[in-house]
Amino acid sequence: MSAQPTTTTATAPGGDPGDGRHASADGLKAGLKNRHLSMIAIGGVIGAGLFAGSGQGIAAAGPAILISYALVGLLVVLVMRMLGEMAAADPSSGSFSAYADRALGRWAGFSIGWLYWFFWVVVLAVEATIAAEILEGWVPAVPQWGWALIVMVVLTATNLVSVGSYGEFEFWFAGIKVVAIGAFVVVGALAVFGLLPGSDNPGTGLAHLTDAGGFFPHGYGAILTGILMVVFSFMGSEIVTLAAGESADPQRAVSKATNSVIWRVAVFYLGSIFVVVTLLPWNDKSIVEQGSYVAALNSIGIPHAGQIMNVIILTAVLSCLNSGLYTASRMAFSLGQRGDAPASFARTNARGVPMAAILSSVAFGFLAVFFNYKWPDTVFEFLLNASGAVALFVWLVICCTQLRMRGIILREAPDRLVVRMWLFPYLTWATIAMISFVLLYMLFDDSGRQQVLLSLLAAAFVVSIGVVRDRARLR
């Protein structure tokens, strides 16, 4: 029998599991409040990639990028439903890695846990660099590497204080993102139909969806190209299932987050991209040169649009950094608990903080930042490509795990199956097919081939270690 997640739910006299009296048996403290979990769930699906990468996607697919976002959004909804089913039944700091450990074997939990950790520590370097570029533009007296160091140190300190301080920072970071995108969608929609007073945009309605070469200016195949360009901007939705183990009522938090993912994807992704491609023709050069959101705001006549978006992007980047460090450290903590990482990773201090797991994660993040400045086109590019397809690997493992975990949950604790995957197992198999198709398509795409090959190489390396460890353990 593989190691099981060690987070348990305490039942008070006369109470029931999930009634808010949650105690963690693994040393972590239930320091996240309901409002923290709610905002982590909402903000987790909004990454910096939405602001930075959407312009390239629009240029590649035209208005059809909306279909690309809708398909990837559907994929995220289905994957989150599966993960929500498992996490609501058994909240764990290791989330899908702990479930894979149990359902597929120790090698699977080991492999996907370390790959996920690797993905997020590389993201730390990427986001720290983006934040440093913005801050250096405001205060050039401090060099870019200095800003990257300051940002990393501040957010490391935040995570080291307590899980509550992480939750509080993320509550405000995510709140700013949510309010900003919500306002963008409302103001932009009014401008699209000529209802915004004082707008510079003439309000052409839906004309821009077809007036520059049609809805599919680059053909139907561009939808797949668009999928490859936007899929990684959705990574982060699963963070709430890791954080739930440190909340007072994890079952309720996971259920709420899972049920709300549909409207979050619809409003924040589809809604904001719809506004961009209806305010401007898809081939307007400013969409790529200035960024899609800045270009849209400029078309309305919003003054200082570039600086406004820089503040919002900086907030999104800091949010991603904050959550990335939290996520990497909790995955390292879970791996330590299961004997798949140094035992020190599983130790917590008096405040319930896994200091060794946090410091080791940020140390690799600092090293990756150094690689980005010293060898950006060789070593760091290799790290980026080697982690590029990990998001899809994670989703694929979640699907395969859920196929097995449903039976385990029904056999051991059927009363905890409060979130159920729709049309099981048919939609689960359909999701596996969709993810496999995207990975296969990447092999035949010039821009995606290197990412998927190097990511497969990294996965093969980690899986081989996991298999060898399993065999050694059995002997």
Side-chain angles (χ1 to χ4, degrees), residues 55 226 343 370 378 426:
F370 171 74
T378 52
Y426 307 109

Side-chain angles (χ1 to χ4, degrees), residues 166-192:
Y166 154 72
E168 198 63 32
F169 267 72
E170 189 57 23
F171 175 81
W172 292 106
F173 286 154
I176 292 172
K177 287 191 293 186
V178 169
V179 170
I181 295 184
F184 175 82
V185 171
V186 172
V187 172
L190 290 173
V192 165

Side-chain angles (χ1 to χ4, degrees), residues 383-466:
L383 292 177
L384 278 179
N385 287 323
S387 63
V390 167
L392 292 170
F393 295 165
V394 167
W395 294 349
L396 196 58
V397 167
I398 289 171
C399 296
C400 295
T401 300
Q402 193 259 342
L403 285 172
R404 298 286 301 276
M405 278 298 291
R406 169 67 74 91
I408 294 173
I409 296 169
L410 285 174
R411 185 169 61 251
E412 297 183 358
D415 57 306
R416 300 194 66 80
L417 198 62
V418 294
V419 176
R420 288 175 179 263
M421 176 59 182
W422 307 296
L423 298 177
F424 177 84
Y426 307 109
L427 267 183
T428 300
W429 281 112
T431 308
I432 290 173
M434 289 170 63
I435 297 170
S436 300
F437 176 78
V438 172
L439 284 168
L440 187 63
Y441 184 79
M442 287 179 73
L443 286 173
F444 295 93
D445 181 81
D446 292 339
S447 62
R449 186 180 302 112
Q450 189 177 23
Q451 275 194 359
V452 74
L453 287 175
L454 287 177
S455 295
L456 283 170
L457 181 64
F461 175 73
V462 177
V463 168
S464 64
I465 295 175

Side-chain angles (χ1 to χ4, degrees), residues 33-406:
K33 301 175 182 177
N34 285 335
R35 65 183 177 87
H36 294 156
L37 265 293
S38 297
M39 199 55 75
I40 290 170
I42 294 172
V45 80
I46 309 169
L50 174 62
F51 301 101
S54 55
Q56 297 291 341
I58 292 170
I65 194 67
L66 288 168
I67 299 179
S68 301
Y69 272 102
L71 290 174
V72 178
L74 174 63
L75 202 60
V76 171
V77 168
L78 295 175
V79 170
M80 277 299 294
R81 187 74 185 183
M82 286 180 254
L83 184 54
E85 175 180 298
M86 297 182 286
D90 190 4
S92 167
S93 59
S95 187
F96 51 83
S97 173
Y99 309 141
D101 187 305
R102 197 174 171 201
L104 304 179
R106 292 294 301 273
W107 66 270
F110 172 91
S111 302
I112 203 62
W114 276 114
L115 283 171
Y116 192 68
W117 178 87
F118 172 57
F119 171 85
W120 278 110
V121 292
V122 172
V123 167
L124 290 181
V126 174
E127 303 295 338
T129 302
I130 296 173
E133 289 174 353
I134 295 173
L135 290 167
E136 186 188 29
W138 294 343
V139 186
V142 179
Q144 194 177 116
W145 66 265
W147 278 120
L149 182 65
I150 291 170
V151 166
M152 292 279 276
V153 167
V154 168
L155 292 180
T156 299
T158 299
N159 276 263
L160 285 172
V161 171
S162 70
V163 69
S165 63
Y166 154 72
E168 198 63 32
F169 267 72
E170 189 57 23
F171 175 81
W172 292 106
F173 286 154
I176 292 172
K177 287 191 293 186
V178 169
V179 170
I181 295 184
F184 175 82
V185 171
V186 172
V187 172
L190 290 173
V192 165
F193 298 102
L195 302 176
L196 185 67
S199 172
D200 294 343
N201 194 290
T204 57
L206 306 181
H208 286 323
L209 293 178
T210 55
D211 65 3
F215 192 75
F216 301 95
H218 297 306
Y220 297 108
I223 294 173
L224 293 173
T225 303
I227 286 175
L228 298 187
M229 300 184 78
V230 306
V231 66
F232 304 108
S233 66
F234 281 83
M235 193 66 171
S237 307
E238 67 289 330
I239 291 175
V240 68
T241 64
L242 280 83
E246 295 178 80
S247 70
D249 191 352
Q251 193 177 75
R252 178 175 176 272
V254 169
S255 300
K256 187 176 179 181
T258 303
N259 292 329
S260 67
V261 71
I262 297 175
W263 71 260
R264 286 185 277 137
V265 169
V267 172
F268 298 129
Y269 279 86
L270 287 175
S272 61
I273 298 302
F274 173 81
V275 165
V276 173
V277 295
T278 47
L279 278 176
L280 292 163
W282 68 270
N283 55 358
D284 190 307
K285 292 181 180 179
S286 64
I287 291 178
V288 174
E289 293 172 355
Q290 300 175 4
S292 55
Y293 290 81
V294 173
L297 291 175
N298 281 332
S299 76
I300 298 173
I302 302 293
H304 311 295
Q307 286 305 317
I308 292 172
M309 285 311 303
N310 272 339
V311 172
I312 296 168
I313 292 171
L314 178 62
T315 304
V317 165
L318 294 176
S319 170
C320 195
L321 260 172
N322 195 38
S323 289
L325 180 54
Y326 171 84
T327 304
S329 64
R330 278 3 180 230
M331 186 57 72
F333 170 81
S334 178
L335 288 166
Q337 278 191 308
R338 288 176 273 146
D340 291 333
S344 60
F345 285 13
R347 298 192 191 113
T348 58
N349 61 17
R351 298 186 301 276
V353 175
M355 290 187 64
I358 291 174
L359 292 175
S360 62
S361 299
V362 80
F364 193 94
F366 275 123
L367 185 62
V369 169
F370 171 74
F371 289 152
N372 192 17
Y373 289 114
K374 188 72 174 175
W375 301 291
D377 299 323
T378 52
V379 179
F380 189 69
E381 186 177 354
F382 172 81
L383 292 177
L384 278 179
N385 287 323
S387 63
V390 167
L392 292 170
F393 295 165
V394 167
W395 294 349
L396 196 58
V397 167
I398 289 171
C399 296
C400 295
T401 300
Q402 193 259 342
L403 285 172
R404 298 286 301 276
M405 278 298 291
R406 169 67 74 91

